[in-house]
């Protein structure tokens, strides 16, 4: 299990971002849902946490078969999805991801939002994350993959007509007012021999890219959501969820795919050398390895940050 803490600052207040986050997630999910892939909202309802108070619990299915490497697509069902379960008790949130066909895979993201520039070394109030596992992400200067770059989301060019903020310049985190930080403690686990280290590193690289893109968008879209109240953004959320689910279902119903690949009804075994070789992974002599690997302490959900 690989744990890291990411800290992402924005020129917003925590109260403003309560609206901006909901708007950004809904709009981004709708934009990404095309061709039968994207985000389907299964559940979105109020909830109450004994410590953090009232909030919202959501469950989503993220369809992404075409985004997987070819060697992975050969071993997973054609209609493949990740389950995301999120508990939003703002300014604290918890998100968990799991995959039904990979019971040893999980991602757990714990988030705390504070009005500071990322200087709190114990934002979660328990055991501080070791300094070597903390990474500050800069939404201005850290690069995003070329496929995600948009000039309209480049914060060196961004100016908000509603708030008068922007563009961001070098060193902005030291003097920006307002400023807030999104503290994210991320645990990735994939306990399959031959895959664990590489896969967990791969997951963290992608999570870092996703965090940069999402927080850049929340700021770049400020003029779209600033001034909304919670009822306004919930109505926007409801409408975009309907559009997103409609896109996915209509595409999936209109494209029937005949899958001639053999069905797999078991998880990959940690001693299944034949399977690993088929997937292009060089293996060691497994005859001397133990038959099992200790389970991760991270909680898993029934099938998903």
């Amino acid at each position: 299990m690989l744990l890291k803490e990411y800290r992402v600052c924005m020129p917003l207040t925590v109260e403003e971002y309560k609206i901006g986050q909901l708007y950004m997630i809904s709009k981004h999910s709708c934009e990404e849902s095309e061709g039968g892939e994207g985000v389907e909202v299964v559940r979105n309802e109020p909830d109450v946490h004994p410590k953090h108070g009232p909030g919202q619990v959501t469950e989503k299915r993220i369809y992404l078969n075409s985004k997987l490497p070819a060697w992975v697509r050969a071993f997973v069902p054609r209609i493949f999805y990740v389950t995301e379960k999120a508990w939003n008790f703002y300014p604290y949130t918890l998100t968990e991801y799991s995959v039904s066909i990979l019971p040893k895979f999980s991602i757990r993201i714990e988030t705390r939002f504070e009005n500071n520039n990322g200087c709190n070394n114990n934002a979660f109030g328990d055991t501080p994350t070791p300094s070597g596992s903390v990474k500050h992400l800069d939404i201005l200067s850290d690069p995003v993959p070329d496929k995600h770059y948009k000039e309209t989301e480049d914060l060196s060019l961004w100016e908000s007509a509603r708030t008068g903020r922007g563009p961001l310049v070098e060193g902005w985190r030291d003097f920006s007012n307002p400023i807030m930080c999104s503290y994210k403690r991320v645990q990735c686990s994939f306990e399959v021999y031959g895959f664990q280290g590489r896969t967990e590193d791969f997951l963290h690289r992608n999570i870092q890219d996703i965090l940069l893109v999402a927080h850049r968008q929340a700021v770049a879209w400020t003029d779209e959501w600033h001034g909304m109240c919670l009822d306004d953004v919930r109505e926007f959320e409801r409408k975009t969820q309907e559009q997103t689910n409609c896109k996915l279902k209509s595409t999936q119903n209109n494209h029937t795919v005949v899958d001639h690949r053999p069905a797999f009804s078991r998880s990959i075994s940690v001693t299944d050398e034949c399977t690993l070789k088929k997937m292009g992974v060089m293996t060691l002599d497994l005859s001397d390895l133990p038959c099992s690997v200790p389970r991760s302490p991270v909680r898993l959900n029934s099938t998903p940050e």
Side-chain angles (χ1 to χ4, degrees), residues 14-130:
V14 169
E15 190 59 31
E16 287 174 330
Y17 189 58
K18 183 176 184 178
I19 303 298
Q21 180 192 40
L22 294 172
Y23 181 92
M24 175 268 294
I25 291 173
S26 295
K27 179 177 175 178
H28 182 78
S29 296
C30 191
E31 288 184 346
E32 291 295 307
S33 299
E34 296 290 348
E37 296 195 342
V39 182
E40 177 187 7
V41 181
V42 178
R43 180 165 61 121
N44 186 0
E45 57 194 37
D47 193 16
V48 178
H49 190 279
K51 176 181 177 181
H52 301 290
Q56 201 84 359
V57 59
T58 60
E59 182 174 345
K60 301 175 183 179
R61 292 178 179 177
I62 306 170
Y63 296 86
L64 38 59
N65 189 279
S66 71
K67 295 179 175 61
L68 298 173
W71 59 267
V72 175
R73 291 201 301 270
F75 287 86
V76 301
R78 187 73 69 178
I79 301 300
F80 166 76
Y81 64 85
V82 173
T83 297
E84 174 195 278
K85 290 186 178 181
W87 294 264
N88 187 347
F89 302 102
Y90 201 87
Y92 172 84
T93 67
L94 174 64
T95 308
E96 293 182 346
Y97 298 88
S98 57
V99 184
S100 58
I101 63 169
L102 297 174
K104 293 181 180 293
F105 167 94
S106 67
I107 299 175
R108 185 179 191 269
I109 303 176
E110 193 177 9
T111 305
R112 174 77 67 180
F113 303 105
E114 294 186 353
N115 285 313
N116 57 50
N117 66 352
C119 58
N120 187 350
N121 291 324
N122 192 12
F124 297 96
D126 46 28
T127 303
T129 305

Side-chain angles (χ1 to χ4, degrees), residues 131-152:
S131 59
S133 297
V134 174
K135 186 173 180 60
H136 292 262
L137 303 180
D138 191 335
I139 57 175
L140 171 65
S141 59
D142 285 352
V144 297
D146 290 341
K147 64 181 178 181
H148 292 306
Y149 176 82
K150 294 181 181 179
E151 187 174 302
T152 55

Side-chain angles (χ1 to χ4, degrees), residues 88-251:
N88 187 347
F89 302 102
Y90 201 87
Y92 172 84
T93 67
L94 174 64
T95 308
E96 293 182 346
Y97 298 88
S98 57
V99 184
S100 58
I101 63 169
L102 297 174
K104 293 181 180 293
F105 167 94
S106 67
I107 299 175
R108 185 179 191 269
I109 303 176
E110 193 177 9
T111 305
R112 174 77 67 180
F113 303 105
E114 294 186 353
N115 285 313
N116 57 50
N117 66 352
C119 58
N120 187 350
N121 291 324
N122 192 12
F124 297 96
D126 46 28
T127 303
T129 305
S131 59
S133 297
V134 174
K135 186 173 180 60
H136 292 262
L137 303 180
D138 191 335
I139 57 175
L140 171 65
S141 59
D142 285 352
V144 297
D146 290 341
K147 64 181 178 181
H148 292 306
Y149 176 82
K150 294 181 181 179
E151 187 174 302
T152 55
E153 296 169 7
D154 187 331
L155 300 183
S156 67
L157 306 173
W158 163 76
E159 291 186 71
S160 168
R162 283 181 175 267
T163 66
R165 300 169 199 167
L168 299 186
V169 297
E170 184 178 355
W172 70 275
R173 290 180 296 180
D174 296 326
F175 57 79
S176 182
N177 184 29
I179 190 167
M180 64 162 288
C181 183
S182 172
Y183 293 84
K184 290 187 176 287
R185 189 159 59 182
V186 181
Q187 298 177 11
C188 294
S189 179
F190 189 62
E191 295 182 352
V192 176
Y193 178 76
F195 287 85
Q196 184 168 2
R198 273 181 290 178
T199 301
E200 291 177 356
D201 285 340
F202 170 81
L203 290 171
H204 273 285
R205 288 197 302 272
N206 279 270
I207 288 169
Q208 181 173 312
D209 289 341
I210 291 168
L211 292 179
L212 280 170
V213 171
H215 288 80
R216 282 163 60 107
Q217 289 177 334
V219 175
W221 297 343
T222 296
D223 286 350
E224 298 180 28
W225 56 261
H226 201 274
M228 282 184 168
C229 66
L230 189 58
D231 288 341
D232 294 333
V233 78
R234 287 296 184 197
E235 178 63 15
F236 174 79
E237 188 179 50
R238 183 189 65 78
K239 290 180 179 179
T240 54
Q241 285 174 6
E242 289 178 354
Q243 295 172 16
T244 301
N245 289 358
C246 185
K247 283 182 182 181
L248 287 169
K249 290 178 180 179
S250 62
T251 307

Side-chain angles (χ1 to χ4, degrees), residues 71-72 75 195 268 273-282:
W71 59 267
V72 175
F75 287 86
F195 287 85
I268 300 171
E273 184 177 13
C274 181
T275 299
L276 291 172
K277 286 184 176 180
K278 287 181 179 179
M279 298 172 86
V281 176
M282 298 301 294

